[in-house]
Amino acid sequence: MKRLLLILFLFSACGGNTTTHTVVKPVNLVSGTAEMTQTLQALYDNGNPRDYYHWNKKLSNFYLNQISQVPPQQQMNAWFQFCLELLNAGEPETCILEIEKFISDNKYNYAQLVKDDTLPIMELLALAHLRLGEVRNCQENHNEHSCILPLKKEGQHTDKAGSEKAIELYTLILEKYPRDKFKWLLNVAYMTLGEHPSNVPPAYLIPYPNHENKLNSFPAFKEVAMQLGVAENGLSGGVCLDDFNNDGLIDIFATAYGMLDQCKLFLNTGKGFRDATESAGLIGIVSGLNCIHADYDNDGNKDIFILRGGWLGKGGNHPNSLLRNNGDGTFSDVTKSAGLLSFHPTQTATWGDVNKDGYLDLFIGNESSMPDLVHACELYVNQKDGTFKEAAVEYNLSGIVGFVKGVSFGDFNNDHWPDLYVSMMGQENLLFKNEKGKFTEIGKKAGVNLPKFSFPCWFFDVNNDGFNDIFVSSYDTRNIRNLADDYAKEIQGKPVRSDKSKLFINNGDETFSEQSVPFNLDKSMYSMGCNFGDIDNDGWLDFYLGTGAPDFSTIIPNRMFRNNNGKSFEEVTASGRFGHIQKGHGIGFADFDNDGDQDIYAVMGGAFEGDEFTNVYFENPIDENNWIVFELEGIRSNRNGIGARLKLEMDNGREIYHTINTGGSFGANSLQAEIGLGKGAVIKTLSVAWPNSEMQVFNNIDSNKKYRIVEGDAELKVVQYEPIIFEGNDEGHHHHHHH
């Protein structure tokens, strides 16, 4: 039999002015939405499955037809691709039947097929059985414990057939091919049956969790998405968490990657969440792998930007969407009338006021696959009348060409001008210093140009020294089908070849020191969506990573890292119950129930049609520390105060820093400043460095309250902020500190 050629066509190539705001109402709102809806539908209707690696049902039909049309020596390969796409399309049973028929027709047995040229068939058969177990148990009989490692009894499989067969096949494969990837998948199969570690053959056992590297005392978060009605089922996508209807409660906006997948808006009612997608005028606004929000027109309503076409190469010339929040519960697609309509593959963008005119600008990182597909990045400068103008050349940001996977504005030298970090997959990363509206690239000089294979990124102040540090997560596409192998090696303490994530600590002199080893982050994380917040309100920023890759074998836990007093990070994935093994994408931190701590919402699901999963909502149970919430209102600066920096000097001598933004490059946190204070009870001094005006200072502020800070106003305004109790979530904890 000819050696199988495994095709993975997924990777074919590997001067501030200070005017106050005037609000301009764009015209012709509804027609913009209708036009975008038609454009998106036409992309789907006229698409060629060969250009869309995630049109798996259509691809399986394509390969089925190929079998009879190609020369005999290519038939085997076409048949294998047909089987693979059946699995990817969410038809594991059909895939299994097809392979079993091939085995019986040729009078083979399993053992005979465990050899180099037919190993891929056996691998696919084992994976299809493992997946079938997931579908029948975790998807069809989903509960709050499904797929979260270590698996609780309630999360284990009741229909055991899929995993039992997977164990039989992986055991056979491992006898001849003792690879860590197969070992990990065998361990996962045993976990689903509740037989890990007890029944795993000692030679193949991988201890999970690896307690030597984990903090075991961290409290468990509860997954309550189903009780709250926000367990939206779908593919990978983005999320924006914020108060979109100005009622003081944080809402959820989420997208999904399928080209006909409807975006969703869930409004927080104070008792639960209501699906307001239809009433918001969003029907037909489909697809999008990521989204970010900000108030671009300074009218007091937060708007949303959806990114499309990511990973799709020559099939990825899709439009993005600017959804204007009309302030009456509806959104309108104003992409075209706002001057933002362009057609490039992308899933990353960032808002920042690059010229300090009080209006937010938008930088979009596009994906070029060299040499044939060139999509330079774009900088859209806000014209202050509801429109934008592409001005990358003017600002020295033109010609950024690469497979851009993460972009983030942040001020690393405290000059109040937003600088820009660009994460390029397969190339050195870039850092652009904003010199009063002109950008200069200093990535290598500043020491922040690695890793070469990276994906999400952000600025945050890890050690509370008043200087923004940079985190960039690794994503080594050279090893894209072997994530499980890397992960298994790492938790066993074996070396891995893949690029590792980097943490760059700011030296305060426009250079950085790479400190991933001392901070315990020298790991191959394979994260896509991820974000940061302070889950235990100790005043140190933690972060959560959504992991995975399209291939069904790439099931590894999403991971939570807790900041240990600004000196290192410790993993709390297992003890905190964050180790969800479905693919993790957009992640947001926000205080949904006004109790002063941050909950987490994460969009789950992969890229392939059959890789759907329900989104998750982790409710925060921790209530031992103090907190404060600030809502900023810019007058000369942009309305949300994006880029403003808060310095809190506490009564116990601590200093805590917070910058207003939505966090990481894949998933958007709430723009209100939700800040953990640790044991500090009173903020002796709060200094607010606005982008466009003088520093404001406030004294002696009580903790465990919410305040509004208006730029230029000498008084803080106390905002009502009472904890709410969601119905159907009667076990939820509720606490509120008073002094």
Side-chain angles (χ1 to χ4, degrees):
M1 189 185 309
K2 298 281 178 219
R3 183 178 292 271
L4 289 171
L5 303 169
L6 284 180
I7 305 165
L8 191 70
F9 41 81
L10 173 51
F11 299 98
S12 48
C14 274
N17 94 27
T18 55
T19 52
T20 49
H21 304 145
T22 50
V23 175
V24 180
K25 298 272 186 236
V27 290
N28 234 351
L29 297 177
V30 179
S31 64
T33 302
E35 199 174 340
M36 179 59 74
T37 299
Q38 288 160 8
T39 303
L40 295 173
Q41 183 68 45
L43 272 172
Y44 180 81
D45 291 343
N46 305 322
N48 176 356
R50 301 303 305 277
D51 291 340
Y52 292 118
Y53 74 94
H54 63 339
W55 283 13
N56 308 103
K57 186 74 188 106
K58 288 181 173 176
L59 284 168
S60 69
N61 292 332
F62 169 81
Y63 286 114
L64 180 60
N65 293 330
Q66 288 274 296
I67 297 171
S68 55
Q69 290 167 9
V70 296
Q73 66 272 24
Q74 289 170 29
Q75 284 173 3
M76 191 66 207
N77 195 53
W79 171 79
F80 180 80
Q81 288 299 325
F82 163 62
C83 294
L84 179 61
E85 292 301 346
L86 282 174
L87 176 61
N88 293 344
E91 299 186 27
E93 282 169 288
T94 320
C95 172
I96 290 165
L97 290 170
E98 191 62 41
I99 295 175
E100 289 291 357
K101 184 177 183 308
F102 162 80
I103 291 173
S104 66
D105 286 354
N106 289 285
K107 302 193 168 51
Y108 292 123
N109 63 40
Y110 291 152
Q112 287 170 305
L113 289 173
V114 183
K115 55 182 206 277
D116 284 6
D117 59 349
T118 51
L119 179 63
I121 298 175
M122 288 299 287
E123 233 191 294
L124 183 58
L125 183 60
L127 194 56
H129 280 289
L130 191 64
R131 183 67 194 168
L132 183 60
E134 273 182 85
V135 169
R136 285 188 176 157
N137 294 277
C138 313
Q139 283 185 320
E140 290 167 10
N141 294 302
H142 179 72
N143 67 48
E144 69 204 55
H145 305 286
S146 297
C147 290
I148 297 175
L149 300 188
L151 274 181
K152 291 198 162 169
K153 189 154 180 42
E154 303 92 322
Q156 291 163 11
H157 291 188
T158 49
D159 181 334
K160 298 178 186 285
S163 286
E164 284 173 347
K165 192 72 178 177
I167 287 171
E168 177 193 338
L169 295 167
Y170 281 123
T171 306
L172 272 176
I173 292 170
L174 277 162
E175 282 163 20
K176 281 185 78 172
Y177 299 93
R179 295 175 192 164
D180 285 304
K181 170 182 174 174
F182 300 143
K183 271 205 280 214
W184 171 249
L185 295 171
L186 177 74
N187 277 263
V188 169
Y190 275 109
M191 289 177 196
T192 65
L193 301 178
E195 298 177 17
H196 180 281
S198 53
N199 284 0
V200 184
Y204 303 143
L205 176 65
I206 296 176
Y208 181 89
N210 179 343
H211 284 297
E212 280 151 48
N213 297 329
K214 295 241 168 62
L215 183 72
N216 296 316
S217 57
F218 197 79
F221 279 51
K222 198 166 181 236
E223 205 285 279
V224 296
M226 288 175 75
Q227 291 98 299
L228 299 184
V230 291
E232 180 67 18
N233 191 50
L235 299 179
S236 51
V239 67
C240 293
L241 304 181
D242 222 311
D243 180 4
F244 292 109
N245 58 355
N246 293 334
D247 64 353
L249 300 172
I250 304 289
D251 311 306
I252 299 170
F253 177 85
T255 63
Y257 190 41
M259 283 172 62
L260 294 181
D261 288 353
Q262 175 63 49
C263 72
K264 299 294 273 200
L265 175 65
F266 295 103
L267 292 179
N268 185 340
T269 64
K271 296 193 169 84
F273 289 84
R274 171 171 69 82
D275 185 340
T277 311
E278 192 170 344
S279 60
L282 292 167
I283 298 298
I285 300 298
V286 293
S287 92
L289 189 51
N290 195 5
C291 50
I292 54 169
H293 64 281
D295 180 359
Y296 76 91
D297 52 3
N298 290 332
D299 66 351
N301 303 305
K302 294 175 188 80
D303 314 293
I304 296 169
F305 191 65
I306 301 176
L307 295 137
R308 298 193 181 94
W311 296 113
L312 297 179
K314 68 173 195 240
N317 291 342
H318 294 194
N320 301 316
S321 271
L322 178 63
L323 302 178
R324 181 178 184 277
N325 184 339
N326 301 319
D328 60 1
T330 69
F331 287 81
S332 302
D333 193 308
V334 296
T335 316
K336 193 173 176 183
S337 59
L340 287 176
L341 187 64
S342 67
F343 294 83
H344 304 283
T346 178
Q347 51 75 189
T348 186
T350 179
W351 294 102
D353 185 358
V354 297
N355 53 8
K356 297 221 309 186
D357 64 356
Y359 284 76
L360 292 169
D361 312 299
L362 181 67
F363 182 83
I364 304 175
N366 293 318
E367 297 174 358
S368 299
S369 311
M370 310 304 288
D372 43 344
L373 297 175
V374 177
H375 295 278
C377 296
E378 301 161 281
L379 174 69
Y380 286 97
V381 173
N382 198 321
Q383 302 300 292
K384 307 199 268 194
D385 60 359
T387 70
F388 293 82
K389 180 167 155 267
E390 208 290 309
V393 172
E394 236 172 281
Y395 286 81
N396 198 30
L397 290 174
S398 64
I400 303 177
V401 174
F403 204 74
V404 178
K405 293 309 292 178
V407 295
S408 186
F409 279 124
D411 177 9
F412 73 86
N413 56 2
N414 293 345
D415 65 353
H416 307 304
W417 291 83
D419 310 299
L420 177 68
Y421 191 77
V422 181
S423 164
M424 314 260 263
M425 190 173 275
Q427 284 167 259
E428 293 193 356
N429 300 324
L430 308 171
L431 175 62
F432 288 91
K433 177 183 168 186
N434 186 340
E435 303 187 269
K436 302 194 171 159
K438 274 273 194 282
F439 287 89
T440 310
E441 205 287 306
I442 61 164
K444 199 163 190 159
K445 194 170 90 181
V448 295
N449 51 324
L450 296 175
K452 267 215 171 140
F453 285 87
S454 60
F455 192 159
C457 60
W458 59 65
F459 290 89
F460 67 159
D461 189 350
V462 170
N463 51 7
N464 274 321
D465 66 351
F467 284 92
N468 270 318
D469 311 300
I470 295 172
F471 176 74
V472 55
S473 182
S474 59
Y475 198 94
D476 201 328
T477 47
R478 295 169 299 187
N479 213 9
I480 192 74
R481 293 190 68 243
N482 284 308
L483 268 59
D485 196 74
D486 260 11
Y487 179 74
K489 280 190 166 66
E490 219 159 58
I491 62 173
Q492 295 173 91
K494 300 181 186 177
V496 300
R497 290 195 307 273
S498 298
D499 256 1
K500 306 284 187 65
S501 301
K502 302 283 181 216
L503 176 66
F504 299 108
I505 298 293
N506 195 324
N507 296 326
D509 60 1
E510 303 196 348
T511 70
F512 293 77
S513 303
E514 203 284 292
Q515 305 239 343
S516 54
V517 173
F519 275 83
N520 189 32
L521 296 178
D522 184 43
K523 302 172 192 297
S524 52
M525 290 174 176
Y526 287 104
S527 64
M528 301 173 293
C530 59
N531 221 323
F532 61 87
D534 182 1
I535 51 171
D536 50 6
N537 277 341
D538 64 351
W540 303 98
L541 292 170
D542 318 301
F543 65 91
Y544 188 46
L545 302 176
T547 61
D551 192 276
F552 275 124
S553 71
T554 59
I555 47 174
I556 59 176
N558 298 307
R559 303 171 76 173
M560 179 69 84
F561 290 90
R562 178 187 170 268
N563 187 333
N564 183 21
N565 299 330
K567 295 183 177 62
S568 67
F569 284 90
E570 50 201 357
E571 190 160 353
V572 295
T573 301
S575 51
R577 306 288 305 150
F578 297 111
H580 208 298
I581 54 168
Q582 296 292 334
K583 316 285 164 63
H585 285 81
I587 287 172
F589 289 65
D591 181 8
F592 289 108
D593 48 5
N594 288 4
D595 64 356
D597 56 44
Q598 291 188 305
D599 311 296
I600 294 165
Y601 190 81
V603 175
M604 310 302 286
F608 293 148
E609 272 168 3
D611 206 359
E612 292 192 340
F613 205 76
T614 55
N615 297 346
V616 295
Y617 177 124
F618 292 109
E619 190 189 36
N620 194 326
I622 303 173
D623 61 357
E624 65 220 30
N625 287 317
N626 292 318
W627 51 269
I628 195 138
V629 177
F630 294 118
E631 179 181 81
L632 271 66
E633 186 179 322
I635 302 297
R636 287 169 152 191
S637 304
N638 68 85
R639 178 69 178 246
N640 298 141
I642 287 176
R645 197 177 65 130
L646 280 51
K647 177 184 181 183
L648 288 65
E649 297 170 72
M650 301 303 301
D651 55 354
N652 58 1
R654 273 187 75 182
E655 291 180 359
I656 298 171
Y657 291 86
H658 183 97
T659 302
I660 303 293
N661 58 32
T662 56
S665 63
F666 199 156
N669 296 342
S670 154
L671 283 164
Q672 68 180 13
E674 300 167 351
I675 305 174
L677 304 177
K679 299 300 176 205
V682 176
I683 301 169
K684 288 301 231 194
T685 311
L686 168 68
S687 313
V688 184
W690 292 92
N692 290 22
S693 62
E694 297 304 303
M695 176 91 73
Q696 268 182 282
V697 178
F698 304 92
N699 295 314
N700 297 324
I701 303 164
D702 284 339
S703 56
N704 306 318
K705 289 184 175 149
K706 178 175 176 176
Y707 300 89
R708 179 176 292 113
I709 307 172
V710 179
E711 187 174 13
D713 276 13
E715 295 295 312
L716 289 178
K717 297 178 173 60
V718 179
V719 178
Q720 176 162 349
Y721 203 66
E722 286 301 316
I724 56 178
I725 296 177
F726 289 133
E727 290 170 357
N729 184 23
D730 46 13
E731 294 175 53
H733 74 301
H734 311 285
H735 58 262
H736 208 51
H737 294 276
H738 291 287
H739 289 288

